[in-house]
Amino acid sequence: MPRQNTLIGTHPVPPNIIGRWLNSTNHPETDRQCHRSLAETNNLTEEELVDWLADKIILHHYKESQIDRLKNKYGELGFEEYAENIRMIPNWDDTRKGNMTEIILCEYILSSTGKPLIKTYRFRYSTNVDQSMKGDDVLMVDYDNENDDIEVFLGEAKFRQDPSAQVVRNIADSLSTDTKPLSFTFLVERLLESDSTTDIGNRLDQFVVETIRQQGKITYSGLLLSKTDCADTVQNNLDSDNQKLVFLSLGVDDPTALMNKVFSKAEEKLANPEQL
């Protein structure tokens, strides 16, 4: 079985929307490379893709209570006067690009593993929505209740309009075997805030991050979202001794245009709460 499949599962298949949007190639693995390239298919219209990604943007940025408040207050105050007060979607392009790429990586790992991974929607907790959040781009946990064991999925995601050797190296370097899940405590704290997740929060709180790393209980995934030729850039420049790293390259015709359409659609939906 290809190492890509062993680490993060097989590429999603239709009717999963990622399986409709993308096809995949597991490139031959080496001691220094484990690369899965992703490319668009003709099985999903741009309208469907933009609508789905816009929904994910809203899901990852807004708490349900905020959406409920928006719906309730919209009739009284209107979007312009109220929605800006609870704005969680960034206006800054660089932050939008980063956030969307992180969300795509998160949703991809959820789909490829097919597991109910424990996660938190971290953008909901941003204190400055136009500033990139510190911490791990993606952190999810597979908790085995029967054996009281966990596997951590740690991810780094970057957006580049044009791919480069340097960004490939940066992603690989940030996901070395020494990399620790810095946001593990943040995840636990968020779980402890809700009565429905307090039990799992307490269980995860018993695990020590350094022990998790030393025991090899971390799977690493990097994502570069760029133009259609980014797979070649990754293939020619990926160099890592981390045997638990899967590098994903996602090439689209114009990633910046896609980002703009997705956030415009998200803003449209927020301006019309009945769509949410």
Side-chain angles (χ1 to χ4, degrees):
M1 178 184 294
R3 196 184 338 148
Q4 294 93 329
N5 292 12
T6 300
L7 293 176
I8 62 170
T10 59
H11 180 73
V13 297
N16 180 285
I17 197 162
I18 292 178
R20 293 178 59 204
W21 174 29
L22 303 169
N23 58 33
S24 73
T25 300
N26 284 334
H27 295 265
E29 62 197 75
T30 71
D31 288 340
R32 310 293 298 186
Q33 287 192 350
C34 182
H35 174 208
R36 175 181 291 175
S37 59
L38 307 172
E40 293 186 296
T41 71
N42 295 318
N43 300 324
L44 189 70
T45 67
E46 182 181 78
E47 182 179 359
E48 289 175 308
L49 173 61
V50 168
D51 191 70
W52 176 74
L53 282 174
D55 285 343
K56 293 302 180 182
I57 292 292
I58 294 171
L59 173 67
H60 280 255
H61 285 83
Y62 282 85
K63 299 176 185 178
E64 291 182 13
S65 59
Q66 291 172 317
I67 296 298
D68 289 340
R69 285 162 53 200
L70 180 58
K71 289 179 178 180
N72 292 335
K73 292 291 184 179
Y74 178 76
E76 301 173 25
L77 303 176
F79 176 72
E80 293 294 336
E81 295 183 24
Y82 181 72
E84 282 297 320
N85 293 325
I86 60 168
R87 166 175 285 276
M88 295 300 294
I89 290 181
N91 287 316
W92 188 250
D93 272 3
D94 285 350
T95 307
R96 288 186 170 200
K97 291 172 182 175
N99 288 12
M100 185 180 76
T101 310
E102 292 179 30
I103 290 169
I104 290 173
L105 177 56
C106 177
E107 295 297 330
Y108 186 88
I109 298 300
L110 285 170
S111 294
S112 65
T113 60
K115 297 178 179 179
L117 301 178
I118 300 163
K119 63 186 181 303
T120 185
Y121 295 109
R122 73 192 197 105
F123 297 131
R124 297 178 178 183
Y125 300 91
S126 176
T127 55
N128 182 350
V129 297
D130 283 310
Q131 183 176 4
S132 298
M133 287 191 72
K134 305 301 181 184
D136 306 306
D137 287 354
V138 173
L139 176 66
M140 296 182 287
V141 174
D142 180 22
Y143 177 63
D144 182 349
N145 184 59
E146 183 176 342
N147 297 306
D148 197 31
D149 194 17
I150 68 171
E151 177 76 19
V152 173
F153 289 83
L154 188 63
E156 176 80 7
K158 291 191 180 298
F159 178 111
R160 291 292 186 275
Q161 178 66 20
D162 297 294
S164 69
Q166 186 59 54
V167 71
V168 174
R169 289 192 288 267
N170 289 346
I171 294 173
D173 289 347
S174 68
L175 295 171
S176 71
T177 54
D178 292 330
T179 305
K180 300 177 183 178
L182 300 177
S183 302
F184 191 79
T185 300
F186 175 83
L187 172 63
V188 170
E189 289 176 349
R190 299 290 80 78
L191 293 171
L192 292 175
E193 288 177 351
S194 172
D195 291 340
S196 62
T197 56
T198 297
D199 182 61
I200 189 63
N202 284 324
R203 290 178 183 273
L204 295 189
D205 196 32
Q206 299 172 12
F207 291 91
V208 180
V209 169
E210 180 61 23
T211 302
I212 294 171
R213 187 188 67 79
Q214 290 177 350
Q215 292 179 347
K217 297 292 187 178
I218 304 178
T219 294
Y220 303 81
S221 56
L223 171 65
L224 173 59
L225 170 59
S226 190
K227 287 185 177 177
T228 52
D229 59 345
C230 72
D232 291 337
T233 303
V234 171
Q235 195 64 20
N236 293 333
N237 295 281
L238 176 58
D239 183 36
S240 172
D241 62 358
N242 187 350
Q243 298 299 298
K244 297 199 69 177
L245 167 63
V246 178
F247 201 113
L248 302 170
S249 60
L250 171 51
V252 299
D253 287 337
D254 190 339
T256 298
L258 175 62
M259 181 273 296
N260 287 331
K261 291 174 183 177
V262 168
F263 275 91
S264 292
K265 186 65 174 181
E267 296 280 11
E268 176 189 322
K269 286 174 176 280
L270 290 166
N272 296 276
E274 68 276 5
Q275 295 186 24
L276 301 175

